[in-house]
């Protein structure tokens, strides 16, 4: 297409110049350029003007002057991605950077470090992620060395709706201080919407390292250097609108459950993924809930609302639908809300001694409850909306293999519905999928790579997969991939759910993989078909001898699904099996499993 | 040793696949024990399902959700139908309660009373099969040979009028059913945890059936005139009780009947059994055994749709078969004795028996025992079973007799009948009370169209015609099957329907009210509108033009609406 004034936003002169240069570009140059332009847009506004020339020139001229080690503890891959990003930023500023998972780092080397950056997420009830466990334990043990020479900084990731928000990052920070380390910059605790605070943290670290006497340039490269020609222009900050190809319920009639199988098109996005990766979706809130909030507050749906620091404006209704979290309450939110209301009860609730009561209150309640319970509100809709968290993306383990389904991505999404405090509550993204999303609609999505949940590099390595319920998703991807590649390694699947007849997710596919030998063995447990509840761990225990033999042959064990109950019980069961079949003591068996974890032979994707 | 006659030969041709499955099965074992333990599918492989029938069960699936589940990446909603062997359809109240409980616990919550006087439970999941079968066996019933290429449940007239004769005939039928059972211990090993006994020679395992069993199913029924409720002529082997001076003297023997056929193949047809002579009660077993061995030796093992005994008889010739039978028996039949049938339906309500006991015949639409909206049939019968001291008799017309009620208990039973609104069905039209429907959709794998779920609705509409013409109390037998295999004995209904496709039926007319003449096809592949149009013109004519006491099936022939079928071989003519 020829660009003209009429069909483009360019002036006559610009259009002519562009028309001259565009036809001469190679494919990869075009891709690079589109990524470059997109990244400029995605990067913080301040970086835009200088980044182009600076980023490219800095890299070539700066000498290596200082070593920085960045360790990450990551479950879903966010911390790892941020660590890598920080590493690239530092490298482009002349630092010599080592980025490593905590589990790959030899703790004995800790004493030799001068500059240590830690990026760590928190999991479940304040637990460190799997690949941070051993380092976390070492650091808190008596064996931890004095670290008087160390400069450090901590970036923690978390979710403020949990009680132990950013607990792991806090613990690293406190412990490093205890051991004598000097903080380069104040720890930053990121909530779900971590992009901006994380970028600011990197900036501060860079500044602090520069002041610490290095020759590093003060110039910053922003996010620009990240974009390499082979990557898609679409990302977490620039999501792709993927078309829905198929959306069906996997549970048969009469089931207590609804599990959606969603197929999305990646056509034209350039996005690819590996088995084990996740897909992020930016959902929309339930229009009914938004209507109820507007009605409760007597707000005008068309009020103009500023939604971010950049000053973007939306109507109030749109903002509540697409920009803000309205289904979850957090302690900080309740505290800020107290400043906007004269309600005595609320003032009482947020007093420091009532922390436990706040925790009780926010459990199972949403914004509508808060607004109903604690009026009268003295603030405007703008003021109230401004204290809300950004509507976070939902991450789902991908249920398909890219090579088996080029330009498609499949998800397995459990519909979340429950009653709480007299009202039916609905999962934001799952119910969007279950009740409103039709084939042909589009969803803003991005790929979240998860390096901690990957098929073994050697396709002959046996794998054991434990994935009840929606935990089945990545293993469907694994099987598709192994089928596609003709992998010869043995595989063993453990699946469970409530009822055989209605809840055996992807049943016919599993049956075919078994028949064709892609899957070697499968065991299933349906908890509500029999008087005694049977779960996957019971099936594992029934076959403990064979399971241990697989472990001894070098099998990799994968667990996906519910963390609180399933993953915990399966973990204990694995230890029991190792203990029993390996004739070991409990501690020795735990050590065996810990070693497996270090060797990446025990990987978990739990939630 | 049986000498093979030149004029008697089994048809040539390669053995059918089922013959091979039976041959390899080690007397009906196959791999059933293993596949029943597999947890990845609720189904079993086809070969094992063929063997499963001999254990009284078919693998089925809920066809209503078949397409939907395929999309959902779920296998078909597999489930087993389990059929009890219940000779003569007689069950004790304790047995009733066990069936009631098993259907609730492991089945779909309902019981089906079949056209061969037994119970079926539908909707049993694979992992519950063993418990269900064990429950049935603990109640002194079993499911052996309730389906499969063997002798099936032996039927006998549920005659409430002549209780003594009924009891005697029932005993002969029960003995026949027991004595003709397969001898293999496969059933006991697979379902009842019996240890396998090693190394018995083949010939001793199944002295009568042999390792291949029969070429096809084999059915026996015993009728006590004037009741032909069991449709004795529809049986492979029928016995007609001959009563002289109030005593059972013996039976007329009829051979070669059967209802099934295949759409589009005129070499297949329903046929009526023909009377070949008379035997004494003591000879009943011998006759059955020898008839069965003739079918074993000369039946068609190459093409299953031609394998029923009726085709063997028609191919070899009735006289030749009779001669061979007498040869094998070593004696000759006496000449058949006179008898006469009145009807093949049931008589509803309270009837007094000979010893002062009472019998209540309950109309059960479609043979389905369930709690319906506003009609708690299943609960009512459960409550009755708890106090009843007599027996339950399942009739060949899918109805139920609460039998042998003592004078003292009659009041209590009547109270319960009233409490739960269970009646003799007199408020229904006589047409509805004379209806039979097979199970068909959604569970029967053979069904081409609805039957049990649809016939009641169709009758609603035919009733309008019947009532307009003042025929509300006129019994006309009406029968519908979802496929041409004929579980509802459609070819002996005065109005018969065979399913062809969803909503489409072949319509048959002209069968005799007493089960002595087959029907003939009147219209092919028609839907409800046309069915009602046809009946809307024939029924008014019957109302106006019939002779005194003339039955509908006879009238349509006399009126020239349909030609009489004089033999199965001219059913299609």
């Amino acid at each position: 297409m020829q660009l003209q004034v009429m069909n483009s936003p360019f002036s006559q002169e610009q259009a002519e110049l562009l028309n001259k240069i565009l036809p001469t570009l190679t494919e990869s140059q075009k891709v690079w350029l589109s990524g470059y332009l997109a990244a400029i847009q995605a990067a913080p506004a301040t970086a835009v003007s200088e980044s182009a020339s600076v980023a490219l020139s800095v890299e070539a001229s700066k000498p290596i002057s200082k070593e920085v080690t960045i360790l990450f503890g990551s479950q879903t891959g966010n911390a790892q991605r941020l660590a890598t990003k920080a590493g690239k930023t530092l490298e482009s500023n002349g630092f010599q950077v080592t980025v490593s998972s905590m589990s790959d780092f030899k703790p004995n080397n800790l004493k030799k470090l001068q500059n240590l950056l830690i990026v760590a997420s928190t999991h479940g009830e304040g637990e460190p992620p799997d690949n941070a466990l051993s380092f976390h334990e070492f650091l808190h043990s008596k064996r931890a060395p004095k670290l008087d020479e160390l400069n450090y900084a901590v970036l923690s990731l978390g979710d403020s709706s949990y009680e132990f928000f950013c607990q792991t990052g806090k613990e690293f920070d406190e412990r490093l201080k205890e051991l004598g380390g000097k903080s380069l910059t104040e720890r930053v605790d990121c909530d779900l919407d971590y992009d901006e605070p994380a970028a600011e943290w990197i900036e501060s670290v860079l500044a602090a390292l520069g002041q610490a006497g290095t020759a590093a340039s003060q110039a910053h490269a922003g996010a620009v250097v990240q974009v390499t020609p082979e990557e898609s222009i679409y990302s977490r900050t620039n999501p792709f609108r993927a078309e829905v190809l198929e959306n069906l319920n996997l549970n048969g009639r009469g089931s207590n459950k609804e599990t959606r199988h969603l197929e999305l098109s990646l056509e034209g996005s350039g996005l690819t993924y590996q088995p084990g990766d996740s897909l992020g979706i930016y959902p929309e809130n339930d229009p009914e809930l938004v209507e109820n909030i507007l009605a409760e507050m007597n707000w005008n749906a068309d009020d103009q609302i500023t939604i971010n620091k950049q000053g973007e404006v939306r109507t109030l209704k749109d903002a509540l639908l697409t920009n803000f979290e309205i289904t979850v309450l957090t302690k900080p939110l309740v505290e800020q809300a107290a400043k906007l209301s004269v309600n005595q009860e609320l003032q009482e609730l947020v007093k420091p001694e009532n922390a436990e009561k706040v925790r009780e209150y926010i459990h199972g309640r949403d914004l509508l409850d808060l607004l109903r319970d604690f009026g009268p509100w003295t603030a405007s809709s703008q003021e109230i909306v401004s204290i809300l968290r950004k509507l976070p993306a939902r991450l789902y383990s991908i249920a398909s293999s890219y090579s088996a389904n080029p330009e498609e991505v499949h998800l397995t999404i459990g519909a979340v519905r429950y009653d709480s405090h007299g009202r039916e509550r609905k999962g934001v993204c799952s119910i969007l999928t279950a009740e409103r999303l039709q084939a042909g609609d589009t969803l803003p999505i991005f790929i979240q790579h998860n390096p901690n949940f990957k098929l073994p590099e050697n396709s002959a390595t046996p794998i054991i997969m434990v994935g009840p319920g929606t935990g089945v998703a990545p293993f469907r991807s694994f099987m598709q991939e192994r089928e596609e590649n003709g992998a010869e390694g043995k595989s063993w699947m453990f699946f469970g759910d409530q009822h055989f007849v209605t809840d055996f997710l992807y049943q016919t596919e599993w049956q075919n993989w078994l028949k064709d030998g892609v899957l070697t063995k499968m065991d299933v447990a349906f908890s509500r078909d029999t008087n005694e509840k049977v779960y996957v761990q019971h099936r594992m225990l029934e076959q403990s001898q064979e399971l241990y033999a697989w472990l001894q042959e070098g099998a990799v064990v994968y667990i996906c699904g519910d963390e609180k109950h399933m993953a915990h019980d399966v973990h204990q069961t694995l230890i029991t099996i190792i203990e029993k079949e390996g004739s070991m003591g409990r501690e020795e068996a735990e050590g065996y499993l810990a070693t497996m974890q270090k060797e990446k032979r025990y990987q978990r994707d739990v939630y | 040793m049986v000498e093979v006659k030149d004029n008697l030969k089994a048809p040539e041709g390669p053995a059918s696949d089922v013959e091979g499955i039976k041959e390899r099965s080690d007397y009906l074992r196959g791999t059933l024990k293993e596949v029943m333990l597999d947890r990845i599918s609720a189904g079993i492989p086809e070969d094992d399902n063929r063997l499963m029938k001999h254990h009284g069960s078919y693998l089925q699936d809920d066809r209503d959700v078949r397409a939907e589940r395929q999309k959902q990446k779920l296998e078909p909603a597999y489930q087993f139908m389990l059929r009890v062997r219940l000779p003569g359809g007689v069950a004790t109240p304790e047995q009733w309660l066990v069936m009631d409980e098993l259907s609730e616990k492991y089945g779909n919550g309902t019981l089906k009373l079949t056209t061969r006087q037994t119970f079926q439970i539908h909707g049993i999941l694979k992992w519950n099969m063993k418990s269900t079968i064990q429950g049935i066996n603990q109640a002194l019933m079993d499911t052996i040979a309730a389906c499969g290429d063997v002798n099936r449940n032996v039927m006998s007239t549920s005659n409430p009028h002549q209780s003594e004769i009924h009891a005697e005939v029932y005993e002969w039928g029960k003995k026949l059913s027991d004595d003709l059972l397969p001898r293999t211990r496969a059933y006991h090993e697979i379902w009842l945890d019996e240890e396998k006994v090693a190394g018995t020679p083949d010939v001793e395992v199944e002295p009568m059936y042999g390792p291949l069993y029969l070429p096809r199913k084999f059915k026996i029924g015993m009728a006590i005139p004037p009741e032909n409720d069991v449709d004795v002529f529809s049986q492979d082997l029928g016995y007609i009780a001959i009563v002289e001076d109030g005593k059972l003297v013996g039976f007329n023997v009829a051979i070669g009947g059967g209802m099934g056929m295949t759409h589009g193949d005129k070499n297949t047809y329903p046929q009526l059994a023909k009377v070949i002579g008379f035997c004494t009660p003591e000879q009943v077993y011998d006759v059955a055994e020898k008839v069965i061995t003739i079918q074993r030796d000369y039946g068609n093992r190459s093409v299953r749709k031609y394998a029923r005994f009726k085709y063997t008889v028609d191919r070899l010739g009735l006289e030749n078969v009779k001669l061979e039978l007498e040869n094998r028996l070593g004696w000759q039949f006496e000449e058949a004795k006179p008898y006469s049938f009145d009807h093949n339906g049931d008589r509803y309500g309270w009837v007094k028996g000979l010893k002062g006991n009472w019998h209540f015949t309950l109309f059960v639409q479609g043979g389905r025992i369930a709690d319906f909206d506003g009609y708690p049939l299943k609960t009512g019968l459960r409550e009755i079973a708890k106090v009843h001291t007599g027996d339950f008799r399942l009739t060949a017309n899918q109805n139920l007799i609460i039998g042998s009620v003592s004078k003292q208990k009659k009041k209590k039973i009547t109270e319960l009948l009233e409490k739960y609104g269970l009646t003799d069905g007199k408020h229904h039209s006589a047409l509805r009370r004379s209806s039979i429907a097979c199970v068909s959709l959604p569970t029967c794998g053979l069904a081409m169209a609805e039957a049990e779920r649809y016939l009641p609705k169709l009758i609603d509409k035919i009733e309008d015609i019947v009532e307009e013409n003042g025929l509300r109390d006129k019994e006309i037998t009406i029968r519908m099957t979802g496929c041409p295999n004929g579980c509802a004995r459609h070819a002996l209904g005065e109005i018969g329907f065979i399913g062809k496709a969803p909503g489409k039926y072949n319509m048959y007319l002209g069968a005799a009210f007493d089960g002595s003449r087959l029907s003939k096809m009147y219209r092919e592949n028609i839907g409800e509108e046309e069915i009602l149009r046809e009946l809307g013109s024939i029924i008014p004519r019957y109302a106006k033009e019939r002779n005194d006491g003339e039955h509908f099936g006879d009238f349509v022939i006399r009126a020239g609406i349909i030609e009489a079928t004089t033999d199965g071989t001219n059913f299609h003519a």
Side-chain angles (χ1 to χ4, degrees), chain B residues 360-528:
Chain B
F360 185 86
T361 304
L362 178 74
F363 169 65
V364 182
Q365 183 149 271
R368 186 63 66 178
I369 305 291
D371 281 339
F372 300 95
D373 217 10
Y375 185 53
L377 175 61
K378 198 173 186 205
T379 302
L381 287 170
R382 184 185 306 129
E383 294 309 314
I384 288 171
K386 285 178 187 168
V387 301
H388 184 35
T389 48
D391 53 28
F392 286 98
R393 301 180 196 174
L394 283 60
T395 83
N397 290 297
Q398 304 177 315
N399 296 312
L400 182 67
I401 298 173
I402 302 164
S404 308
V405 179
S406 64
K407 225 162 97 185
Q408 296 80 354
K409 282 274 175 189
K410 185 172 176 248
K411 190 164 165 258
K412 179 73 191 161
I413 303 278
T414 308
E415 271 172 28
L416 287 169
L417 286 170
E418 277 167 14
K419 179 175 174 190
Y420 292 98
L422 314 187
T423 71
D424 52 15
K426 290 271 165 63
H427 58 292
H428 293 304
S429 67
L431 178 79
R432 187 179 301 273
R433 284 185 276 122
S434 306
S435 64
I436 305 185
C438 72
V439 177
S440 197
L441 292 168
T443 53
C444 180
L446 302 168
M448 299 171 174
E450 298 282 349
E452 184 189 326
R453 296 195 293 195
Y454 172 59
L455 184 60
K457 293 178 205 159
L458 180 63
I459 289 177
D460 286 343
K461 293 173 182 167
I462 302 175
E463 272 174 346
D464 292 344
I465 304 171
V466 164
E467 283 179 22
E468 275 170 32
N469 290 281
L471 296 173
R472 190 185 154 79
D473 295 322
K474 189 74 200 165
E475 286 175 302
I476 301 172
T477 56
I478 179 166
R479 298 174 172 187
M480 177 175 275
T481 67
C483 82
N485 288 293
C487 292
R489 299 191 292 274
H490 59 276
L492 287 169
E494 292 179 287
I495 303 172
F497 297 99
I498 306 183
K500 283 277 280 185
K504 296 283 184 191
Y505 298 86
N506 288 352
M507 180 172 158
Y508 297 80
L509 295 174
F513 186 72
D514 63 358
S516 63
R517 182 182 61 244
L518 294 165
S519 60
K520 192 175 282 299
M521 187 163 74
Y522 175 68
R523 289 286 181 266
E524 190 171 14
N525 219 11
I526 60 174
E528 182 176 285

Side-chain angles (χ1 to χ4, degrees), chain A residues 248-253 261 500-501 504 506-509 511 514 522 524 539 542, chain B residues 39-42 64-65 68-78 125 127-128:
Chain A
L248 58 89
N249 182 8
L250 291 170
N251 295 97
R253 276 195 219 177
H261 173 74
F500 173 90
V501 175
F504 194 154
Y506 303 109
Q507 181 183 24
T508 52
E509 296 184 0
Q511 289 175 342
L514 268 176
M522 182 159 192
V524 291
R539 296 287 182 237
E542 281 169 16
Chain B
R39 292 193 186 111
I40 305 301
S41 170
D64 283 350
V65 295
E68 165 183 318
R69 287 177 63 91
Q70 191 178 9
K71 261 190 220 153
Q72 294 180 300
K73 306 173 195 296
L74 293 166
E75 70 175 14
Y78 286 126
L125 288 175
W127 14 93
N128 294 329

